[in-house]
Amino acid sequence: MQPSLVDFPMKDGTTKPAVVIGGKTGMIFVLGRETGKSLTRVEELPMPQGHIPNEQYTKTQPHSTEMP
């Protein structure tokens, strides 16, 4: 998915300039264009660990939990 520049509606009725990015996992992330910080909730969730010798695995990955 190509990033989209939008005016993202906030809960208080205002809008903020944002970039909306969809990943290959199907998760959608909304980042403020001015700060790069997430405008929606993102949680670091534990990931299953593989069993390939000498392979590095991340213990957590960000998950967009407030978007569809």
Side-chain angles (χ1 to χ4, degrees):
M1 173 179 166
Q2 294 292 329
S4 297
L5 300 178
V6 300
D7 291 324
F8 189 73
M10 303 302 289
K11 292 179 182 178
D12 65 2
T14 63
T15 60
K16 287 199 175 185
V19 59
V20 179
I21 304 167
K24 65 181 180 179
T25 60
M27 285 185 262
I28 299 171
F29 295 90
V30 181
L31 306 175
R33 281 189 265 166
E34 296 169 345
T35 64
K37 294 185 180 185
S38 182
L39 298 179
T40 58
R41 187 171 49 238
V42 175
E43 297 179 33
E44 286 284 329
L45 298 178
M47 299 305 305
Q49 301 298 295
H51 304 288
I52 300 173
N54 301 318
E55 187 70 24
Q56 294 180 354
Y57 296 98
T58 182
K59 295 193 186 303
T60 64
Q61 285 190 1
H63 283 71
S64 179
T65 57
E66 211 170 60
M67 296 298 292

